[in-house]
Amino acid sequence: MDPKRDGEFQERKMHELGVVKHVMKTLEDVAKENKVTRVASVTLQIGEVSGVVHEQLLDCWNWYADRTVLFKGSDLKIETMPAVTYCENCKQEYETVKHGRTCPFCGSEDTYLLTGNQFEIKEIDAVTLD
Amino acid sequence: MAVKTIEVKESITASNDRDAEKLREDLKEKGVFLINLMSSPGSGKTTLLLRTIKDLKDKLSIGVIEADIASDVDAVKIQSAGAKSIQIHTDGMCHVDAGMTEESLRELGTDGLELIILENIGNLICPAEFDTGARRNVMILSVPEGDDKPLKYPLMFSKSDVLIVTKIDTVSVFDFDFEKLKERVKRLNPDIKVFELSAKTGEGMEPWENWILSEMESFRKERCMNWA
């Protein structure tokens, strides 16, 4: 796998490249532990404000996966997880994407993200030796 | 042969976190103090490093890992300043992770080195997300970049142990509010240490360098206590 030498790949997105690398590394360990010979599909749970561009991620995944034995032809499924913000001032939670940093209940900016920028590998469907 | 669903339920950084923790332990055993230096491109990482090496090389044996997407401009400069250095290219990756750090340390060779600085890729986003296994994370923000960066890139500021504000010699040309910056940063990270300096004029370098020396002293003490 040497994307550096592939001119077409040079245009691919830097951030999604790193993400794909980390996912594959984790799954290589899972594959070893479970005697997996081929991965049929990977399900990711990605927070809606994580900043990952799904299309680019899929692009990167397909490009990389094709060049491996373990992941070739595998399906990448993405479940989008909702983003929730907590207001320190009125102690309520609200939808991050709708309202941003400003609490819709009390107007305070004293808020922080509770969940929504996570990137998790949920599960894989795989062909195993036994 | 069977097809089955295997639950993984792991964050994308979990595997790297494990590698980083192990690397931190290994480095502690070896007595090597690793600093991960981060910032956006052009903020003055290399200039700061050159000045720091010049000032401390008689007290410490220093090694530097230069991480860039391309070119070896930085590694050459560092070598001439008196520190052992290697250049790594990250294959297009926008950050350095623990695995890459470990490989680089092997390539650099840690024998005889007390302080190693990893100059991470110039990028205010991704390096904050991936633990390199360093003992301390140090970030740089230069005066020309502006005092609102903590609002735009909160993760980097919250993950750093130290913030160095560089290029303070340019403050007359830019609208930079030091107090506002410190307030914004402390809100994200109350424990962060802030240094203000100019690597060009030398102003403010001493507190930063003293911090390095005292951190290394505590590091040595900790190691001795572990053996006791």
Side-chain angles (χ1 to χ4, degrees):
Chain A
M1 257 190 328
D2 194 350
K4 211 172 37 170
R5 298 212 179 98
D6 185 340
E8 179 204 315
F9 199 81
Q10 289 288 63
E11 286 162 28
R12 305 289 167 159
K13 311 308 165 191
M14 268 199 321
H15 309 294
E16 280 68 17
L17 166 62
V19 151
V20 164
K21 187 190 165 205
H22 285 285
V23 171
M24 285 190 177
K25 180 169 180 286
T26 301
L27 292 179
E28 274 158 18
D29 292 340
V30 171
K32 222 179 272 168
E33 275 166 36
N34 292 272
K35 297 194 205 156
V36 169
T37 55
R38 199 175 64 79
V39 173
S41 81
V42 177
T43 306
L44 303 174
Q45 284 177 325
I46 303 181
E48 64 180 335
V49 297
S50 66
V52 176
V53 180
H54 294 194
E55 228 175 78
Q56 288 166 10
L57 180 58
L58 280 162
D59 232 6
C60 256
W61 178 268
N62 291 334
W63 193 93
Y64 246 114
D66 235 21
R67 285 153 177 75
T68 69
V69 167
L70 189 60
F71 301 105
K72 189 179 172 86
S74 63
D75 218 358
L76 186 68
K77 300 179 189 168
I78 302 173
E79 288 175 10
T80 305
M81 309 303 283
V84 178
T85 297
Y86 179 76
C87 176
E88 287 265 39
N89 191 48
C90 68
K91 314 288 183 211
Q92 295 193 78
E93 294 174 11
Y94 62 85
E95 291 170 57
T96 312
V97 174
K98 251 200 202 140
H99 306 284
R101 291 190 66 93
T102 312
C103 177
F105 298 110
C106 70
S108 170
E109 298 254 324
D110 204 357
T111 63
Y112 63 81
L113 189 72
L114 259 186
T115 182
N117 65 355
Q118 71 271 41
F119 192 120
E120 282 166 14
I121 307 165
K122 184 185 176 188
E123 64 190 18
I124 59 171
D125 285 332
V127 178
T128 61
L129 280 178
D130 44 55
Chain B
M1 276 230 306
V3 183
K4 56 186 187 191
T5 302
I6 302 169
E7 204 182 62
V8 178
K9 272 200 140 89
E10 257 199 16
S11 154
I12 190 191
T13 58
S15 171
N16 185 67
D17 286 343
R18 283 192 291 272
D19 292 346
E21 208 44 59
K22 177 156 191 306
L23 180 57
R24 235 186 312 276
E25 288 302 316
D26 288 347
L27 289 174
K28 193 168 185 181
E29 229 163 281
K30 288 199 174 94
V32 175
F33 194 99
L34 176 64
I35 290 178
N36 174 24
L37 185 62
M38 304 177 283
S39 79
S40 56
S43 62
K45 287 189 290 305
T46 311
T47 308
L48 175 70
L49 270 182
L50 289 170
R51 185 86 195 212
T52 307
I53 291 166
K54 175 168 164 276
D55 293 344
L56 293 181
K57 67 179 180 207
D58 294 331
K59 295 198 173 101
L60 297 169
S61 57
I62 305 172
V64 175
I65 300 167
E66 279 293 332
D68 286 295
I69 306 253
S71 165
D72 65 354
V73 176
D74 289 350
V76 170
K77 280 190 201 160
I78 298 283
Q79 193 93 342
S80 327
K84 189 179 185 198
S85 90
I86 59 160
Q87 179 78 55
I88 63 167
H89 293 129
T90 61
D91 260 354
M93 286 263 289
C94 48
H95 62 273
V96 175
D97 61 27
M100 284 192 256
T101 306
E102 208 200 350
E103 265 174 53
S104 310
L105 287 165
R106 247 181 281 135
E107 197 189 313
L108 176 71
T110 57
D111 283 344
L113 293 177
E114 297 166 277
L115 170 68
I116 298 179
I117 301 168
L118 165 66
E119 192 186 320
N120 213 319
I121 299 277
N123 175 350
L124 273 185
I125 304 175
C126 315
E129 313 211 27
F130 295 96
D131 191 345
T132 57
R135 168 87 174 180
R136 291 287 181 259
N137 288 328
V138 174
M139 70 164 292
I140 294 177
L141 176 73
S142 67
V143 164
E145 289 173 81
D147 52 43
D148 62 353
K149 290 298 173 287
L151 303 173
K152 297 184 178 183
Y153 303 94
L155 188 65
M156 174 72 65
F157 289 86
S158 18
K159 290 282 175 123
S160 298
D161 299 297
V162 170
L163 166 64
I164 301 176
V165 182
T166 51
K167 306 189 186 180
I168 62 173
D169 52 307
T170 65
V171 80
S172 60
V173 195
F174 294 98
D175 295 324
F176 191 95
D177 189 333
F178 286 92
E179 288 316 308
K180 227 181 232 166
L181 170 77
K182 271 183 263 191
E183 196 193 293
R184 287 168 173 158
V185 165
K186 292 279 179 176
R187 215 182 304 151
L188 287 168
N189 185 353
D191 297 325
I192 196 170
K193 284 203 166 51
V194 183
F195 297 110
E196 295 160 19
L197 54 85
S198 164
K200 190 170 179 201
T201 66
E203 186 188 347
M205 286 296 294
E206 219 178 293
W208 152 241
E209 286 158 3
N210 285 340
W211 176 86
I212 295 178
L213 293 170
S214 89
E215 283 290 307
M216 290 186 66
E217 189 53 45
S218 313
F219 181 60
R220 277 186 211 110
K221 281 202 183 106
E222 237 178 79
R223 288 182 72 228
C224 291
M225 277 163 61
N226 283 349
W227 293 331

